[in-house]
């Protein structure tokens, strides 16, 4: 015991993620995908209502591949920088469990649809690269319930097959994470990506994303020798917080086990127990051979043509990360503003349209983030559904840039536009006029006001002439107050001119 000292250690964590795809129908049959397409607040489907002979594994049925699920998987793979297989196939993974009526799961074994990906995260410590080993498609199993719906106690288990056959994308990373924080950040970014792509609802509480970290530690002992703990996998974590805490716990547990017993542990799976905030041993791990993988004779292989791939790339368009980078580098937005606009596809698209014909990208960004977002919050609507057209944002941005209205007039102007409803005949400029927000650029009334001011305020005037520059501000203020809708820029110019 005394000679076991941790001099240093290196953590290696790889992540497996199962993402339920939000297709309308299941992976290999036309029955509704009740689980993957469910949104929070939806009424759950009656148990065992989203089933058919294929899901039940009845004799004589044949599975048919859901093309949309393959497209969703390819889109996610592309977003993770993966290569897409030109040729792939389906394999049977055999095992017995009551939630799997066929006694095998259709999955992909040696030819995953997506492979060798590369994804870069921006962390507080700088860029962090994550290699994606593979992302393959498979079908989900049903659910075993140990309590009847409604919370009734039963002394047996019952099965609900609504989830069985839901398309799942299983993503496997290389062991490229060193801290629990990196893992939860990746998980959160992956959620954003699948939601942006529209391939999954990505709702944690609905079980749309399930995480399984594979963890081990390379310990450098006091004598300089390196001890590698056996890899353990924590099953079925479905929140970012649990993912982070469970990983941290398991790293420490492996270190402690070696320190206390000298054991490096056994390759095994663990579960997470939230009440005690600890992992617990479930079972030692099977080797792949136990599953007797073999190609499914009922399904034809999948060929991914170059033209199909191009079509899907075009549908993806610009990814959030790329868009964000462009906003910062080409348009000069702050990282925070670029993140807000690019993080959501609809908001980003709204911004793109509003940019057309606008002079200043930052002005347009400010209007969306500071003004429209305020209104959107009030109305509990996303910006693009607020009822204000992007062209109206362009118009207001240009009115401000041309000094026709002040920046603070944008909020009342948009509020008025919303009140007017869909009356497209009123331009923003006309609305601004109706509201008296247009600043006059006619110098006549400004000059008259300045002359009156000079006559009435000899003190400020003397101060300014004596070199007190701060007096200018109060002079402008006095002129602005004396008339309606003066343009502060013009007032300032005329004042300086007259006081020369
Ligand atoms: Mn799987």
């Amino acid at each position: 015991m005394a000679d076991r000292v941790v001099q240093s250690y290196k953590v290696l964590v790889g992540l497996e993620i199962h993402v339920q795809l939000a297709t309308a129908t299941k992976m290999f049959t036309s029955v509704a995908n009740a689980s993957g397409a469910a949104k929070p607040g939806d009424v759950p489907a009656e148990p065992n209502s989203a089933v058919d002979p294929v899901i039940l594994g009845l004799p004589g049925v044949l599975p048919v591949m859901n093309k949309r699920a393959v497209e969703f998987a390819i889109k996610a793979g592309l977003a993770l920088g993966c290569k897409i297989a030109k040729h792939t196939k389906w394999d049977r993974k055999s095992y017995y469990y009551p939630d799997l009526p066929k006694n095998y799961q259709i999955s992909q074994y040696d030819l995953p649809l997506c492979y060798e990906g590369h994804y870069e995260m921006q962390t507080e410590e700088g860029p962090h690269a994550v290699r994606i080993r593979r992302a393959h498609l498979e079908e989900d199993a049903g659910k075993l319930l140990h309590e009847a719906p409604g919370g009734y106690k039963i002394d047996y288990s019952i099965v609900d097959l609504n989830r069985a056959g839901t398309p799942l994308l299983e993503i496997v990373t290389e062991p490229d994470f060193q801290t629990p924080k990196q893992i939860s950040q990746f998980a959160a970014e992956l959620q954003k990506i699948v939601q942006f792509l529209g391939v999954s609802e990505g709702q944690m509480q609905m079980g749309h994303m399930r995480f399984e970290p594979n963890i081990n530690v390379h310990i450098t002992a006091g004598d300089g020798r390196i001890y590698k703990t056996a890899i353990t996998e924590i099953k079925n974590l479905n929140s970012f917080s649990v993912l982070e805490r469970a990983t941290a716990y398991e790293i420490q547990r492996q270190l402690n086990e070696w320190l206390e017993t000298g054991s490096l542990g056994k390759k095994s799976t663990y579960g997470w127990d939230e009440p005690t905030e600890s992992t617990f041993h479930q079972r030692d791990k099977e080797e792949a051979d136990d599953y007797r993988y073999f190609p499914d004779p009922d399904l034809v292989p999948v060929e991914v043509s170059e033209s199909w791939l191009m079509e899907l790339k075009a549908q993806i368009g610009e990814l959030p990360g790329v868009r964000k980078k462009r906003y910062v580098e080409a348009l000069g937005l702050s990282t925070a503003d670029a993140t807000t606009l690019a993080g959501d596809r609809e908001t980003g698209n709204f911004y793109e349209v509003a940019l057309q014909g606008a002079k200043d990208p930052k002005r347009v960004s400010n209007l969306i983030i500071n003004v429209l977002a305020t209104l959107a919050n009030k109305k509990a609507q996303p910006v693009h559904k607020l009822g204000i057209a992007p062209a109206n944002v362009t118009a207001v941005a240009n009115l401000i840039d041309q000094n026709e209205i002040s920046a603070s007039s944008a909020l009342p102007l948009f509020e008025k536009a919303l009140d007017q409803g869909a009356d497209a005949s009123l331009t923003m400029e006309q609305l601004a006029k109706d509201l008296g927000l247009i600043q006059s650029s006619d110098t006549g009334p400004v000059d008259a006001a300045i002359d009156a001011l000079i006559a009435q305020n000899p003190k400020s005037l003397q101060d300014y002439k004596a070199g007190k520059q701060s007096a200018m501000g109060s002079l402008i203020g006095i002129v602005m107050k004396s008339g309606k809708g003066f343009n502060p820029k013009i007032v300032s110019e005329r004042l300086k001119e007259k006081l020369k």
Side-chain angles (χ1 to χ4, degrees):
M1 171 91 185
D3 52 345
R4 278 196 300 276
V5 175
V6 177
Q7 194 185 98
S8 64
Y9 64 91
K10 186 180 169 199
V11 172
L12 290 96
V13 186
L15 200 53
E16 270 182 46
I17 310 109
H18 284 89
V19 181
Q20 279 187 353
L21 301 180
T23 51
T25 57
K26 290 192 177 179
M27 186 67 237
F28 297 107
T29 181
S30 59
V31 72
N33 175 10
S35 302
K39 296 176 180 66
D42 281 358
V43 178
E46 279 288 300
N48 296 306
S49 61
V51 296
D52 69 359
V54 175
I55 298 300
L56 295 173
L58 297 183
V61 296
L62 283 173
V64 177
M65 181 194 92
N66 183 338
K67 186 181 174 192
R68 183 56 56 83
V70 176
E71 295 190 332
F72 281 7
I74 291 176
K75 284 184 180 180
L78 288 171
L80 293 170
C82 290
K83 294 176 182 162
I84 307 300
K86 287 191 166 37
H87 170 93
T88 183
K89 64 177 171 72
W90 305 100
D91 299 288
R92 289 185 180 181
K93 179 180 180 179
S94 304
Y95 66 94
Y96 170 80
Y97 208 67
D99 62 11
L100 187 72
K102 299 196 300 293
N103 289 342
Y104 62 84
Q105 176 194 31
I106 306 175
S107 182
Q108 299 191 294
Y109 183 48
D110 54 339
L111 294 176
L113 182 59
C114 317
Y115 60 100
E116 289 177 19
H118 182 277
Y119 181 78
E120 192 171 278
M121 300 195 291
Q122 303 305 322
T123 71
E124 278 163 20
E125 291 80 37
H128 183 88
V130 179
R131 290 167 300 159
I132 312 295
R133 184 178 297 170
R134 57 185 286 159
H136 70 255
L137 259 176
E138 58 188 30
E139 54 177 351
D140 209 343
K143 272 182 190 168
L144 270 192
L145 308 174
H146 311 289
E147 194 171 79
Y152 298 106
K153 291 240 175 305
I154 44 178
D155 52 10
Y156 47 89
S157 293
I158 51 178
V159 71
D160 177 7
L161 294 174
N162 281 353
R163 197 180 66 180
T166 296
L168 279 184
L169 181 65
E170 178 177 331
I171 301 164
V172 184
T173 80
E174 297 292 344
D176 288 342
F177 302 100
Q178 281 87 49
T179 66
K181 185 88 197 86
Q182 287 169 353
I183 298 164
S184 60
Q185 181 180 338
F186 178 80
E189 291 190 15
L190 182 64
Q191 180 194 38
K192 284 259 183 279
I193 289 172
V194 297
Q195 289 176 336
F196 179 88
L197 294 172
V199 305
S200 175
E201 296 292 335
Q203 299 292 332
M204 300 294 158
Q205 71 272 37
M206 309 293 285
H208 291 156
M209 296 178 83
R210 310 195 291 270
F211 301 93
E212 295 172 350
N214 284 256
I215 301 160
N216 80 325
V217 186
H218 293 185
I219 301 166
T220 303
D223 59 6
R225 288 172 64 181
I226 293 173
Y227 296 85
K228 298 178 179 176
T229 60
I231 297 172
T232 60
E233 176 175 351
I234 315 175
K235 298 301 264 184
N236 264 325
L237 306 178
N238 59 7
S239 87
F240 301 137
S241 154
V242 164
L243 179 59
E244 202 173 311
R245 286 181 290 130
T247 308
Y249 181 92
E250 183 59 20
I251 292 166
Q252 201 54 51
R253 192 199 62 74
Q254 291 186 8
L255 283 169
N256 290 347
E257 185 177 53
W258 180 77
L259 268 174
E260 285 159 21
T261 69
S263 165
L264 293 169
K266 233 176 151 185
K267 203 176 168 195
S268 46
T269 60
Y270 277 72
W272 174 251
D273 183 52
E274 183 65 29
T276 58
E277 296 217 32
S278 58
T279 58
F280 61 92
H281 181 264
Q282 286 181 323
R283 59 189 156 88
D284 293 343
K285 221 165 154 64
E286 301 85 354
E287 294 301 325
D289 288 348
D290 299 340
Y291 290 123
R292 297 185 288 112
Y293 278 102
F294 70 95
D296 192 311
D298 289 344
L299 284 158
V300 290
V302 184
E303 309 293 337
V304 181
S305 69
E306 198 55 35
S307 61
W308 192 17
L309 203 53
M310 295 301 284
E311 200 183 308
L312 295 173
K313 278 185 189 167
Q315 284 175 22
I316 292 173
E318 192 177 35
L319 287 163
V322 179
R323 195 172 245 187
K324 178 177 151 186
K325 208 169 165 215
R326 180 166 63 84
Y327 286 174
V328 173
E329 288 171 7
L331 302 183
L333 302 193
S334 70
T335 307
D337 288 354
T339 306
T340 305
L341 292 173
D344 172 69
R345 186 193 286 267
E346 298 300 342
T347 309
N349 289 350
F350 186 92
Y351 178 56
E352 294 286 321
V353 180
L355 276 181
Q356 308 290 321
K359 280 206 205 89
D360 181 359
K362 274 193 204 166
R363 176 79 66 203
V364 178
S365 156
N366 285 341
L367 286 177
I368 294 174
I369 293 173
N370 301 326
V371 185
L372 288 194
T374 309
L375 289 171
N377 260 340
K378 260 192 221 163
K379 306 230 166 205
Q381 286 279 5
V383 164
H384 70 280
K385 284 193 176 157
L386 198 53
I388 291 183
N392 288 340
V393 181
T394 318
V396 171
N398 287 340
L399 285 174
I400 298 171
D401 286 336
Q402 290 154 7
N403 281 311
E404 295 278 333
I405 61 170
S406 72
S408 60
S409 296
L411 182 63
L413 194 47
F414 284 130
E415 275 173 335
K416 184 74 180 171
L418 281 178
D419 287 346
Q420 300 275 336
D423 187 356
S425 64
L426 281 173
T427 63
M428 295 308 275
E429 191 173 6
Q430 188 56 52
L431 272 183
K433 275 182 190 149
D434 292 353
L435 289 173
L437 297 172
I438 297 286
Q439 302 171 135
S440 173
S441 50
D442 182 356
T443 54
V446 175
D447 284 349
I450 292 172
D451 291 341
L453 165 86
I454 292 172
Q456 288 158 25
N457 294 275
K459 173 83 174 72
S460 302
L461 221 52
Q462 277 160 15
D463 284 352
Y464 180 73
K465 284 192 168 161
K468 204 173 160 194
Q469 293 295 317
S470 62
M472 181 50 98
S474 66
L475 288 174
I476 293 173
I478 296 165
V479 178
M480 289 293 289
K481 262 185 226 155
S482 70
K484 202 180 174 214
F486 287 163
N487 180 335
K489 207 174 143 208
I490 289 170
V491 170
S492 162
E493 277 167 15
R494 297 302 299 161
L495 254 176
K496 279 179 190 156
E497 181 66 28
K498 291 216 172 216
L499 295 177
K500 254 185 196 163

